Amino acid sequence: QVQVVESGGGLVQAGGSLRLSCAASGSSVSINVMGWYRQAPGNQRELVAHIVSRGATKYADSVKGRFTISRDNAKNTVYLQMNSLKPEDTAVYYCFAQTLQLLPSNYWGQGTQVTVSS
């Protein structure tokens, strides 16, 4: 079983920055992909960014150039640096970790609230 714990959410004004952190622990299985989804009220959960253990990244078009995902493989920790935040970035941000297995399993954190005021 993998435990995923996020931290770093909060309230920030538009144009500001926040950094989210997420640590995965408790598994003897390697973690392959880690990343972030977000869900705003009334919306579906959407991918924000993910990063593979070898470093390849993927971003949602809406955050490209503003958000940067990075990872410390030794600590199974992923970071999301969010700059130039906009009110539309307001959402609950969920971290996930996907195991490196023939049939991968996804594990989710409880979510952290990010609120951007205008």
Short mmCIF file of all heavy atoms in Angstrom, two decimals, residues 10-18 66 84-91 93 113-118:
data_model
loop_
_atom_site.label_atom_id
_atom_site.label_comp_id
_atom_site.label_asym_id
_atom_site.label_seq_id
_atom_site.Cartn_x
_atom_site.Cartn_y
_atom_site.Cartn_z
N GLY A 10 -2.96 26.83 -0.22
CA GLY A 10 -3.28 28.03 0.54
C GLY A 10 -3.96 29.08 -0.30
O GLY A 10 -4.44 28.81 -1.41
N LEU A 11 -3.98 30.29 0.24
CA LEU A 11 -4.63 31.43 -0.41
C LEU A 11 -3.55 32.39 -0.90
O LEU A 11 -2.62 32.73 -0.15
CB LEU A 11 -5.54 32.13 0.59
CG LEU A 11 -6.18 33.45 0.15
CD1 LEU A 11 -7.11 33.23 -1.03
CD2 LEU A 11 -6.91 34.10 1.32
N VAL A 12 -3.69 32.81 -2.15
CA VAL A 12 -2.71 33.73 -2.74
C VAL A 12 -3.44 34.67 -3.67
O VAL A 12 -4.49 34.33 -4.23
CB VAL A 12 -1.61 32.93 -3.48
CG1 VAL A 12 -2.19 32.19 -4.67
CG2 VAL A 12 -0.46 33.82 -3.89
N GLN A 13 -2.88 35.85 -3.84
CA GLN A 13 -3.47 36.80 -4.78
C GLN A 13 -3.07 36.45 -6.20
O GLN A 13 -2.02 35.82 -6.44
CB GLN A 13 -3.01 38.22 -4.44
CG GLN A 13 -3.64 38.79 -3.19
CD GLN A 13 -3.30 40.26 -2.99
OE1 GLN A 13 -2.25 40.73 -3.43
NE2 GLN A 13 -4.19 40.98 -2.34
N ALA A 14 -3.88 36.89 -7.14
CA ALA A 14 -3.57 36.68 -8.55
C ALA A 14 -2.19 37.25 -8.86
O ALA A 14 -1.84 38.34 -8.40
CB ALA A 14 -4.62 37.32 -9.43
N GLY A 15 -1.43 36.48 -9.63
CA GLY A 15 -0.06 36.87 -9.96
C GLY A 15 0.96 36.31 -9.00
O GLY A 15 2.18 36.39 -9.28
N GLY A 16 0.51 35.76 -7.90
CA GLY A 16 1.42 35.21 -6.91
C GLY A 16 1.86 33.80 -7.22
O GLY A 16 1.55 33.25 -8.29
N SER A 17 2.59 33.22 -6.27
CA SER A 17 3.15 31.89 -6.45
C SER A 17 2.86 31.01 -5.25
O SER A 17 2.72 31.49 -4.13
CB SER A 17 4.67 31.97 -6.65
OG SER A 17 5.02 32.72 -7.79
N LEU A 18 2.81 29.73 -5.51
CA LEU A 18 2.71 28.70 -4.47
C LEU A 18 3.52 27.50 -4.92
O LEU A 18 3.67 27.27 -6.13
CB LEU A 18 1.27 28.27 -4.23
CG LEU A 18 0.34 29.15 -3.41
CD1 LEU A 18 -1.08 28.57 -3.42
CD2 LEU A 18 0.84 29.28 -1.98
N ARG A 66 3.74 28.51 -16.83
CA ARG A 66 3.50 29.08 -15.50
C ARG A 66 3.83 28.09 -14.38
O ARG A 66 4.30 28.49 -13.32
CB ARG A 66 2.04 29.52 -15.36
CG ARG A 66 1.61 30.56 -16.38
CD ARG A 66 0.21 31.09 -16.07
NE ARG A 66 -0.81 30.06 -16.14
CZ ARG A 66 -1.61 29.72 -15.13
NH1 ARG A 66 -1.50 30.34 -13.97
NH2 ARG A 66 -2.53 28.77 -15.29
N SER A 84 2.59 32.99 -11.44
CA SER A 84 1.60 33.77 -12.20
C SER A 84 0.20 33.17 -12.05
O SER A 84 -0.51 32.97 -13.03
CB SER A 84 1.99 33.83 -13.68
OG SER A 84 3.27 34.40 -13.84
N LEU A 85 -0.17 32.88 -10.83
CA LEU A 85 -1.45 32.22 -10.57
C LEU A 85 -2.62 33.11 -10.96
O LEU A 85 -2.57 34.34 -10.84
CB LEU A 85 -1.55 31.82 -9.11
CG LEU A 85 -0.74 30.56 -8.76
CD1 LEU A 85 -0.48 30.47 -7.26
CD2 LEU A 85 -1.46 29.32 -9.24
N LYS A 86 -3.66 32.44 -11.44
CA LYS A 86 -4.88 33.12 -11.88
C LYS A 86 -6.06 32.61 -11.05
O LYS A 86 -6.02 31.48 -10.54
CB LYS A 86 -5.14 32.81 -13.35
CG LYS A 86 -3.99 33.16 -14.28
CD LYS A 86 -4.30 32.70 -15.70
CE LYS A 86 -3.16 33.02 -16.66
NZ LYS A 86 -3.45 32.57 -18.04
N PRO A 87 -7.11 33.40 -10.95
CA PRO A 87 -8.29 32.92 -10.20
C PRO A 87 -8.82 31.59 -10.73
O PRO A 87 -9.32 30.77 -9.95
CB PRO A 87 -9.31 34.05 -10.42
CG PRO A 87 -8.47 35.27 -10.58
CD PRO A 87 -7.25 34.82 -11.34
N GLU A 88 -8.68 31.35 -12.01
CA GLU A 88 -9.16 30.08 -12.58
C GLU A 88 -8.29 28.89 -12.19
O GLU A 88 -8.65 27.75 -12.48
CB GLU A 88 -9.28 30.18 -14.11
CG GLU A 88 -8.05 30.70 -14.81
CD GLU A 88 -8.15 32.19 -15.11
OE1 GLU A 88 -8.59 32.95 -14.23
OE2 GLU A 88 -7.75 32.58 -16.23
N ASP A 89 -7.19 29.13 -11.52
CA ASP A 89 -6.38 28.03 -10.98
C ASP A 89 -6.93 27.53 -9.64
O ASP A 89 -6.45 26.53 -9.10
CB ASP A 89 -4.93 28.47 -10.78
CG ASP A 89 -4.22 28.76 -12.09
OD1 ASP A 89 -4.38 27.98 -13.04
OD2 ASP A 89 -3.49 29.78 -12.15
N THR A 90 -7.92 28.24 -9.11
CA THR A 90 -8.53 27.84 -7.84
C THR A 90 -9.16 26.46 -7.96
O THR A 90 -9.98 26.22 -8.85
CB THR A 90 -9.59 28.86 -7.40
OG1 THR A 90 -8.95 30.11 -7.15
CG2 THR A 90 -10.31 28.39 -6.16
N ALA A 91 -8.75 25.56 -7.09
CA ALA A 91 -9.23 24.18 -7.13
C ALA A 91 -8.63 23.41 -5.97
O ALA A 91 -7.73 23.91 -5.28
CB ALA A 91 -8.83 23.51 -8.46
N TYR A 93 -6.21 20.47 -5.37
CA TYR A 93 -5.14 19.81 -6.12
C TYR A 93 -4.85 18.46 -5.48
O TYR A 93 -4.58 18.37 -4.28
CB TYR A 93 -3.89 20.68 -6.14
CG TYR A 93 -4.00 21.84 -7.09
CD1 TYR A 93 -4.90 22.89 -6.86
CD2 TYR A 93 -3.24 21.90 -8.26
CE1 TYR A 93 -5.03 23.93 -7.75
CE2 TYR A 93 -3.36 22.95 -9.15
CZ TYR A 93 -4.26 23.96 -8.90
OH TYR A 93 -4.38 25.00 -9.79
N GLN A 113 -6.19 22.47 -0.93
CA GLN A 113 -6.92 23.57 -1.54
C GLN A 113 -5.97 24.68 -1.96
O GLN A 113 -5.12 25.13 -1.17
CB GLN A 113 -7.96 24.13 -0.56
CG GLN A 113 -8.74 25.33 -1.07
CD GLN A 113 -9.71 24.97 -2.18
OE1 GLN A 113 -10.45 23.99 -2.08
NE2 GLN A 113 -9.74 25.77 -3.25
N VAL A 114 -6.14 25.13 -3.19
CA VAL A 114 -5.44 26.32 -3.69
C VAL A 114 -6.51 27.33 -4.08
O VAL A 114 -7.38 27.03 -4.89
CB VAL A 114 -4.56 25.98 -4.90
CG1 VAL A 114 -4.01 27.25 -5.54
CG2 VAL A 114 -3.42 25.06 -4.49
N THR A 115 -6.44 28.50 -3.49
CA THR A 115 -7.39 29.56 -3.78
C THR A 115 -6.64 30.80 -4.23
O THR A 115 -5.75 31.27 -3.52
CB THR A 115 -8.24 29.90 -2.54
OG1 THR A 115 -8.92 28.72 -2.10
CG2 THR A 115 -9.27 30.97 -2.88
N VAL A 116 -7.01 31.29 -5.40
CA VAL A 116 -6.36 32.47 -5.96
C VAL A 116 -7.40 33.58 -6.02
O VAL A 116 -8.41 33.46 -6.71
CB VAL A 116 -5.80 32.19 -7.36
CG1 VAL A 116 -5.04 33.43 -7.88
CG2 VAL A 116 -4.88 30.98 -7.35
N SER A 117 -7.15 34.64 -5.29
CA SER A 117 -8.10 35.75 -5.25
C SER A 117 -7.74 36.79 -6.32
O SER A 117 -6.58 37.00 -6.64
CB SER A 117 -8.08 36.41 -3.88
OG SER A 117 -6.80 36.96 -3.61
N SER A 118 -8.77 37.44 -6.83
CA SER A 118 -8.56 38.43 -7.90
C SER A 118 -8.32 39.82 -7.33
O SER A 118 -8.47 40.06 -6.15
CB SER A 118 -9.76 38.45 -8.83
OG SER A 118 -10.93 38.72 -8.10
#
